[in-house]
């Protein structure tokens, strides 16, 4: 079975490799930029004093100050040149969030709950982060690593995080659940698939509803409780096994 966050980790490594290759190909420019930043920082205090010589008489800049300013500017330039891009940082955060949720789901095997991670949806380039099968039903789980506070607006139909409309995650979750449900129906298994969005590093309201727009919302801290205790007709163990095998075969 695939590991949680495999696709995100692969994308992250591809972006990181590209960044490292570009740095290696332009190492001379990187070095010259850092040296130039150091020289600018070294001479900047002296030039400033010279420009203010009419007001400051017999003031000399200690060498240690010039070295310190030069080192600060050189360090800033080095960090700016080699620091990961926002895209790389987002993929790293996403992969970490999926692995965290994956560990929670894998811990539920003792309760007869099984999870498939990072599966490609048929007829689409999209993938579903986790598909869960257990006594309480079948679930598709999308992991979202948004930093900030979640707000529910639009009369309980919209999700906002730090002032940004994130309601599209509800459409994504419903769409993925529908695809998996249709896949099962095509094999003669008639069971609903319940969409879930699990927010990592996001603060949910203290009294937030269990569902928004027909999609269950949670965090890694209460995900296990939601999966175990959602009020669904219990699936017998043999049906859980049949559904799991079908999904494992049909979702590459």
């Amino acid at each position: 079975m695939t590991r949680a966050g495999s696709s995100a980790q692969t994308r992250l490594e591809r972006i990181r490799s590209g960044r490292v290759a570009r740095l290696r190909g332009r190492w001379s420019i990187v070095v010259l930029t850092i040296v130039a930043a150091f020289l600018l920082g070294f001479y900047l205090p002296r030039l400033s004093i010279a420009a203010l010589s009419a007001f400051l008489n017999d003031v000399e800049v200690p060498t240690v100050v010039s070295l310190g300013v030069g080192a600060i500017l050189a360090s800033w330039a080095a960090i700016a040149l080699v620091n990961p891009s926002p895209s790389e940082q987002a993929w790293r955060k996403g992969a970490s969030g999926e692995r965290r949720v994956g560990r929670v789901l894998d811990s539920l095997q003792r309760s007869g709950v099984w999870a498939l991670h990072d599966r490609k949806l048929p007829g689409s380039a999209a993938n579903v982060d986790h598909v869960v099968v257990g006594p309480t039903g079948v679930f598709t789980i999308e992991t979202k690593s948004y930093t900030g506070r979640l707000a529910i607006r639009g009369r309980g139909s919209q999700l906002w995080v730090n002032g940004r409309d994130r309601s599209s995650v509800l459409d994504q979750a419903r769409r993925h659940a529908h695809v998996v449900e249709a896949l099962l129906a095509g094999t003669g298994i008639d069971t609903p698939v319940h969409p879930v969005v699990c927010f990592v590093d996001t603060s949910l309201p203290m009294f937030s509803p269990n569902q928004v727009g027909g999609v269950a919302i949670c965090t890694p801290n209460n995900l296990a409780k939601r999966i175990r205790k959602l009020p669904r007709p219990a699936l017998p163990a043999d049906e859980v096994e049949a559904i799991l095998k079908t999904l494992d075969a049909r979702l590459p």
Side-chain angles (χ1 to χ4, degrees):
M1 293 188 179
T2 53
R3 293 185 299 111
S6 296
S7 295
Q9 185 65 33
T10 299
R11 183 66 180 270
L12 167 64
E13 292 172 357
R14 187 180 301 123
I15 295 174
R16 181 191 295 145
S17 297
R19 175 171 59 88
V20 172
R22 287 191 297 273
L23 287 173
R24 288 175 177 171
R26 302 172 184 175
W27 66 269
S28 57
I29 297 176
V30 172
V31 172
L32 288 175
T33 301
I34 294 174
V35 171
F38 174 80
L39 293 176
L40 175 63
F42 184 83
Y43 287 106
L44 186 61
R46 298 166 185 263
L47 293 174
S48 299
I49 293 298
L52 298 173
S53 58
F55 305 98
L56 302 172
N57 297 321
D58 300 326
V59 176
E60 294 185 1
V61 178
T63 301
V64 67
V65 172
S66 296
L67 290 173
V69 175
I72 291 173
L73 286 187
S75 299
W76 177 84
I79 292 172
L81 288 169
V82 305
N83 208 37
S85 66
S87 175
E88 182 177 340
Q89 293 175 16
W91 282 106
R92 178 185 294 113
K93 188 175 181 181
S96 176
E98 289 183 35
R99 287 194 296 268
R100 180 179 173 186
V101 172
R103 288 192 294 270
V104 172
L105 295 174
D106 289 341
S107 71
L108 299 179
Q109 290 183 10
R110 295 185 298 272
S111 303
V113 177
W114 302 87
L116 303 174
H117 306 296
D118 201 14
R119 295 304 178 105
K120 187 177 182 301
L121 294 173
S124 170
N127 72 303
V128 58
D129 294 338
H130 317 274
V131 181
V132 176
V133 186
T136 54
V138 183
F139 307 86
T140 52
I141 301 176
E142 299 302 321
T143 301
K144 298 300 176 185
S145 298
Y146 300 142
T147 301
R149 182 171 294 278
L150 178 73
I152 301 173
R153 302 177 183 174
R155 297 182 180 180
S157 63
Q158 298 177 359
L159 297 179
W160 291 69
V161 180
N162 276 4
R164 295 188 61 182
D165 188 354
R166 299 291 190 178
S167 303
S168 60
V169 303
L170 299 175
D171 296 329
Q172 180 189 36
R174 287 189 291 259
R175 185 170 59 252
H176 289 182
H178 175 73
V179 170
V180 174
E181 186 173 310
L183 184 152
L184 289 173
T187 63
I189 299 175
D190 184 18
T191 187
V193 177
H194 310 288
V196 180
V197 176
C198 187
F199 288 98
V200 181
D201 298 327
T202 307
S203 299
L204 270 61
M206 183 176 297
F207 300 106
S208 62
N210 291 337
Q211 292 191 353
V212 176
V215 178
I217 60 172
C218 62
T219 68
N221 294 333
N222 61 1
L223 174 60
K225 181 179 179 181
R226 292 286 172 86
I227 294 297
R228 287 198 194 104
K229 295 189 176 181
L230 282 174
R232 311 293 180 200
L235 292 177
D238 58 342
E239 190 169 346
V240 168
E241 183 179 2
I243 293 174
L244 183 65
K245 287 183 177 180
T246 298
L247 293 176
D248 190 26
R250 296 299 184 94
L251 297 176

